[in-house]
Amino acid sequence: MSTPMGFGRMHRKEDARFIRGRGGYVDDVNLPGMLYGAILRSPHAHARIVSIDTSAALAHPKVKAVITGETLAGLNLAWMPTLSADTQAVLATDKVRFQGQEVAFVVAEDRYSARDALELIDVEYDALDAVIDARKSLDPDAPIIRDDHEGRADNKIFDWEAGDKATTDAVFAQAEVTVTQDMLYPRVHPAPLETCGAVADFDKVTGKLTVWCPTQAPHAHRTLYALVAGLPEHKIRVISPDIGGGFGNKVGIYPGYVCAIVGSIVTGKPVKWMEDRSENLMSTSFARDYHMRGEVAATRDGKIQAIRVKVLADHGAFNGTAQPTKFPAGFFHVFTGSYDLRAAHCEVTGVYTNKAPGGVAYACSFRITEAVYLVERMIDVLAMELGADPAELRMKNLLRSEQFPYTSPTGWEYDSGDYQKTLQLAMDMAGYDALRREQAEKRDRGELMGIGIAFFTEAVGAGPRKHMDILGLGMADGAELRVHPTGKAVLRVSCQSQGQGHETTFAQIVASELGISPDDVDVVHGDTDQTPFGLGTYGSRSTPVSGAAAAMVSRKVRERARQVAAAMLEASPEDLEWAVNESGGAWTVAGTGAGKTIQEIALAAHSSLELPEGIEGHLDATCVYNPPNLTYPFGAYICVVDVDPGTGQVKVRRFIAVDDCGVRINPMIVEGQVHGGLADGVGMALMQLMAFDEDGNHLGASFMDYLLPTAMECPSWELGETVTPSPHHPIGAKGVGESATVGSPPAVVNAVLDALRPFGVRHADMPLTPAGVWRAMQGNPIRT
Ligand code: CDP
């Protein structure tokens, strides 16, 4: 594959090290004299701590320290703030509030001794009743989970609403047809292959703390460490090395990170802590857990008029959800989806339960996955009620291209779209009419074939400073670009790749702006000492925000190059034209052909060439990009399934995905992102579930029980594209990293329920395991 000068397919630059086993992950960091930490975790979901005896563990010959909540309380570090401005216990002092909660931290000479010594710690618990079902959390007799909050009398975290209730209720009161459906988007886990961990190294002499940690947001972590621990921010360096997948799981600060830091301060040695798979699944941020009731009002001929939603959101024991401050339910209020409605209203109530904290945006932009699932299921429920074809119903109600920019009833301003074109392309690729004929024939023979459609709109690129912050930190991203004398460039960005190929695509952005090869651009990220401030990578914000910053800083450099070229050519800067041809970018005097390439300009910018007054030498620039709006990628997905009538097993036979993410920087990487997201969606729809028994015992703490999709469960994806550029993004790009995870679950579920139409089943909750499908076929689709 040849290297393009700018946008286009090219192999990922970072793969040179990944496929040779040369990636550098946190667990590869080994420092002289390093010690190892391990965490003792609660076996109970809810219990009072009566006593903790660490004496036997401390007597272990290889143990260097045992840290408890009491130790941390002495340092004022027993509790830390969460990303939702709640507090979370670093190590439990009073009670444990979920199974797997952190109780004590052992630091030892090696990993094995640290683990062994955990068994020597004697904790006496007084078990309490646990609240596991969110629907019972507000019962008057429910035990109070957060009695650390003074005066708290219930388990409610927040009530929040969006939209116009009065208008929505009025439309419903007069509607010709209404449908209502309860559904659960169950608790799932991002389950990155690399678990979380940290290496902390506090240097007592310099007072410098270095933390290696696979965080998606290194700068935000540094600032929070400074604010919480009272350490000077310039003395903290957070290094986020290669990351083996994040998907939202690596946004927040976990107790283990704080323990590793305290362990290093206490022992004076570097401390490494790496969690194992069960710890990752049991105690780090989950996603979803939204109990939703959707209602749609429509005319009898299928024009949707309003949508109304009530949500009970299970946030676990500490409200650790990650979303911009103003939005306790994230971006859920984008639930009107891709449709032209008159009115909408949602109410969300967040509650505490005795489960792990979190509620992260698992491969989506802050709860948009839940919103898209809700609206796309509701469209199918309405189609069933009306006896309408779900594709036709969507076509009839999708926003039309002339309505953009479009302000939704809950206040979102969608930037651009041509939804009908995208859905039509997906239907053409699928051969929709032929599929329906095939289905009809099969139904006559008793075979169960289903066709599911989902149309989604995402809202990614958080976000405009005036609307969005996380814990008071605005969501603008910095970029720095330096072009060396020989024309080779280094771009420094604040976002953090976890496998998305930023070292390639961000180099392509600079390359296309400066007319140099992407091979001549190095991208530096993941080190707070080396990169400008920014809020990191999640919610597909890298391309919309940091990618825009990369384009803008390149344009600044190009302008400086124009001034230098003018001095070289003894011409006026206004008379110069920028052009990129096969040999690269150059500033040329209009109409003369005389010009200077960017490489010649770079050398001259560092030379003794006399520059006009006010023009600095060298070729570099910085910028901070404050996005004017989010970008709104969208797509049309069609899934074809066959369901075994004897076992309820679902086979995804075909999956057609047409994505529109505006201008594609590297179509190969975009397709890879879509493949991954589709697989994720199949997993959530058919097999992934974080289940608990009624005492709060976690039933999915290994990959034997928490099932991830493999190639065996995935068809050969059929991808298509439309390109509707974002009008406000400097290169017209919209994010894409999470589109497929958002759009695919409802397509699969709609397909399975379409297959089950002969049984009259209107809805069944994910995951649609063979047992779940079987129950639905017996007319008993119980809630998960
Ligand atoms: O924030 P995150 O990197 O997860 O998501 P993203 O910004 O959507 O980007 C995912 C990958 O796809 C990055 O390497 C992007 O640069 C690339 N991409 C692209 O090539 N063209 C687009 N229009 C959007 C993303």
Side-chain angles (χ1 to χ4, degrees):
M1 194 178 285
S2 66
T3 305
M5 192 62 81
F7 299 166
R9 289 174 187 275
M10 71 175 267
H11 284 147
R12 303 195 323 167
K13 293 168 61 155
E14 45 272 76
D15 285 346
R17 66 176 189 281
F18 291 149
I19 61 175
R20 289 174 175 85
R22 293 286 186 87
Y25 299 85
V26 166
D27 208 13
D28 295 321
V29 176
N30 288 306
L31 303 175
M34 193 170 77
L35 302 173
Y36 296 82
I39 292 177
L40 181 72
R41 296 180 181 276
S42 165
H44 298 280
H46 200 191
R48 200 158 292 289
I49 296 178
V50 179
S51 63
I52 304 178
D53 182 354
T54 60
S55 52
L58 276 166
H60 188 292
K62 293 194 171 172
V63 167
K64 297 292 177 195
V66 179
I67 295 163
T68 62
E70 208 178 314
T71 327
L72 294 180
L75 301 165
N76 208 15
L77 285 177
W79 293 81
M80 62 180 183
T82 69
L83 292 175
S84 292
D86 191 3
T87 48
Q88 174 173 356
V90 177
L91 293 174
T93 47
D94 53 342
K95 284 204 310 194
V96 286
R97 293 175 170 84
F98 67 94
Q99 190 188 52
Q101 187 181 335
E102 300 78 1
V103 174
F105 187 71
V106 170
V107 183
E109 282 173 24
D110 58 64
R111 222 175 262 225
Y112 309 99
S113 304
R115 288 264 167 160
D116 284 352
L118 295 181
E119 314 243 321
L120 302 174
I121 300 174
D122 190 12
V123 186
E124 196 187 328
Y125 294 102
D126 181 9
L128 301 167
D129 287 342
V131 183
I132 302 307
D133 186 341
R135 290 165 292 182
K136 296 185 180 156
S137 64
L138 297 178
D139 287 355
D141 57 349
I144 307 299
I145 298 168
R146 295 302 301 276
D147 47 0
D148 54 300
H149 294 167
E150 218 179 290
R152 171 172 283 286
D154 63 21
N155 290 315
K156 188 182 284 189
I157 307 174
F158 63 83
D159 278 320
W160 186 73
E161 61 180 317
D164 182 338
K165 183 168 166 43
T167 310
T168 309
D169 289 350
V171 175
F172 267 89
Q174 293 180 356
E176 290 172 5
V177 181
T178 62
V179 283
T180 305
Q181 183 62 53
D182 286 343
M183 62 187 85
L184 169 67
Y185 206 130
R187 178 173 275 235
V188 290
H189 196 280
L193 280 191
E194 180 203 28
T195 58
C196 298
V199 175
D201 185 13
F202 181 70
D203 185 327
K204 278 195 168 131
V205 177
T206 60
K208 178 122 188 169
L209 170 70
T210 307
V211 184
W212 287 262
C213 160
T215 166
Q216 297 177 224
H219 287 277
H221 275 216
R222 182 185 58 180
T223 304
L224 289 180
Y225 289 140
L227 291 174
V228 173
L231 295 166
E233 193 167 5
H234 65 298
K235 295 279 188 188
I236 304 172
R237 179 180 185 186
V238 175
I239 301 176
S240 190
D242 286 328
I243 299 184
F247 313 110
N249 186 239
K250 292 171 178 164
V251 174
I253 294 179
Y254 292 120
Y257 303 167
V258 180
C259 288
I261 293 169
V262 174
S264 179
I265 293 173
V266 167
T267 61
K269 304 271 187 195
V271 173
K272 177 187 281 185
W273 165 74
M274 286 301 302
E275 66 188 7
D276 65 21
R277 177 62 53 202
S278 295
E279 292 181 288
N280 180 258
L281 289 170
M282 286 179 79
S283 68
T284 63
S285 299
F286 72 94
R288 328 294 190 225
D289 225 343
Y290 258 33
H291 298 256
M292 306 184 276
R293 167 163 296 175
E295 292 175 276
V296 168
T299 61
R300 214 171 299 285
D301 64 355
K303 182 76 191 83
I304 303 168
Q305 297 181 306
I307 180 161
R308 198 158 58 181
V309 190
K310 272 202 170 125
V311 177
L312 187 64
D314 183 340
H315 285 222
F318 306 103
N319 186 19
T321 55
Q323 73 275 304
T325 310
K326 262 206 257 176
F327 307 110
F331 294 171
F332 183 78
H333 54 309
V334 79
F335 66 90
T336 58
S338 315
Y339 304 103
D340 185 14
L341 312 174
R342 282 170 54 199
H345 182 250
C346 76
E347 289 170 281
V348 184
T349 298
V351 294
Y352 291 117
T353 58
N354 288 111
K355 300 183 201 160
V360 291
Y362 163 14
C364 78
S365 196
F366 312 113
R367 304 281 188 190
I368 286 185
T369 313
E370 290 91 323
V372 166
Y373 181 73
L374 176 105
V375 66
E376 290 306 303
R377 277 300 301 127
M378 289 312 297
I379 301 286
D380 265 36
V381 167
L382 178 66
M384 189 170 172
E385 176 78 18
L386 296 173
D389 178 277
E392 269 174 38
L393 188 62
R394 284 182 172 80
M395 217 34 127
K396 185 172 195 162
N397 287 285
L398 283 174
L399 292 164
R400 296 178 313 281
S401 57
E402 65 273 14
Q403 289 178 276
F404 293 89
Y406 164 80
T407 303
S408 81
T410 49
W412 297 89
E413 193 188 307
Y414 295 14
D415 56 354
S416 61
D418 192 344
Y419 291 179
Q420 274 88 0
K421 182 171 143 194
T422 306
L423 179 55
Q424 190 59 54
L425 177 58
M427 290 170 69
D428 293 347
M429 285 171 63
Y432 187 73
D433 294 341
L435 282 173
R436 285 286 176 210
R437 284 195 296 277
E438 181 191 344
Q439 181 185 44
E441 285 163 21
K442 287 193 163 155
R443 274 193 185 152
D444 286 345
R445 298 200 296 266
E447 292 174 37
L448 302 178
M449 168 185 166
I451 305 158
I453 303 173
F455 198 101
F456 68 90
T457 301
E458 260 249 77
V460 304
R465 284 167 69 134
K466 61 174 186 238
H467 298 313
M468 288 170 206
D469 68 85
I470 291 188
L471 285 183
L473 300 173
M475 302 190 81
D477 282 0
E480 291 174 13
L481 179 62
R482 190 177 302 164
V483 183
H484 298 313
T486 56
K488 313 292 181 193
V490 177
L491 174 74
R492 294 168 194 276
V493 284
S494 56
C495 64
Q496 170 63 37
S497 185
Q498 309 121 47
Q500 301 96 317
H502 293 173
E503 288 167 50
T504 307
T505 45
F506 280 58
Q508 288 184 274
I509 294 173
V510 175
S512 89
E513 297 292 337
L514 294 187
I516 59 179
S517 165
D519 292 334
D520 290 341
V521 185
D522 259 3
V523 177
V524 177
H525 59 148
D527 182 342
T528 54
D529 271 11
Q530 301 283 337
T531 56
F533 187 87
L535 277 211
T537 290
Y538 38 84
S540 295
R541 67 186 296 280
S542 305
T543 305
V545 189
S546 280
M552 297 309 278
V553 80
S554 304
R555 287 175 193 179
K556 275 189 171 178
V557 163
R558 200 168 67 198
E559 271 313 300
R560 172 94 65 83
R562 180 210 283 258
Q563 306 292 338
V564 177
M568 294 168 79
L569 294 162
E570 296 180 358
S572 159
E574 291 75 50
D575 294 338
L576 298 190
E577 286 175 343
W578 174 254
V580 181
N581 61 30
E582 272 164 25
S583 51
W587 281 110
T588 311
V589 184
T592 69
K596 294 292 175 191
T597 66
I598 196 81
Q599 288 82 3
E600 290 168 329
I601 298 169
L603 196 56
H606 291 83
S607 73
S608 56
L609 172 78
E610 194 141 334
L611 293 171
E613 188 72 23
I615 304 298
E616 292 177 350
H618 301 184
L619 211 46
D620 49 30
T622 62
C623 94
V624 177
Y625 186 78
N626 176 25
N629 188 5
L630 302 171
T631 66
Y632 292 78
F634 56 93
Y637 290 176
I638 300 181
C639 176
V640 183
V641 300
D642 296 306
V643 177
D644 185 328
T647 64
Q649 178 143 25
V650 175
K651 178 163 179 49
V652 179
R653 192 206 313 168
R654 288 181 66 194
F655 201 109
I656 296 91
V658 180
D659 272 277
D660 192 321
C661 58
V663 173
R664 295 180 175 210
I665 302 158
N666 186 326
M668 189 195 77
I669 287 182
V670 169
E671 287 163 15
Q673 295 286 299
V674 174
H675 282 186
L678 295 177
D680 239 0
V682 167
M684 282 184 279
L686 301 182
M687 61 192 76
Q688 281 174 242
L689 176 68
M690 296 256 97
F692 296 82
D693 71 10
E694 57 191 23
D695 295 325
N697 292 308
H698 196 291
L699 305 178
S702 83
F703 282 160
M704 296 291 283
D705 302 305
Y706 187 74
L707 302 180
L708 296 184
T710 68
M712 296 293 288
E713 286 80 38
C714 297
S716 177
W717 312 113
E718 300 169 53
L719 305 191
E721 69 172 87
T722 54
V723 175
T724 313
S726 168
H728 62 80
H729 189 277
I731 57 172
K734 305 180 179 190
V736 76
E738 299 166 331
S739 291
T741 320
V742 170
S744 54
V748 179
V749 173
N750 285 345
V752 174
L753 289 160
D754 186 50
L756 300 187
R757 187 62 67 89
F759 299 90
V761 185
R762 197 163 89 158
H763 179 74
D765 281 329
M766 296 186 285
L768 296 171
T769 59
V773 172
W774 179 257
R775 278 196 301 265
M777 285 158 65
Q778 312 312 308
N780 187 23
I782 58 166
R783 305 282 304 277
T784 310

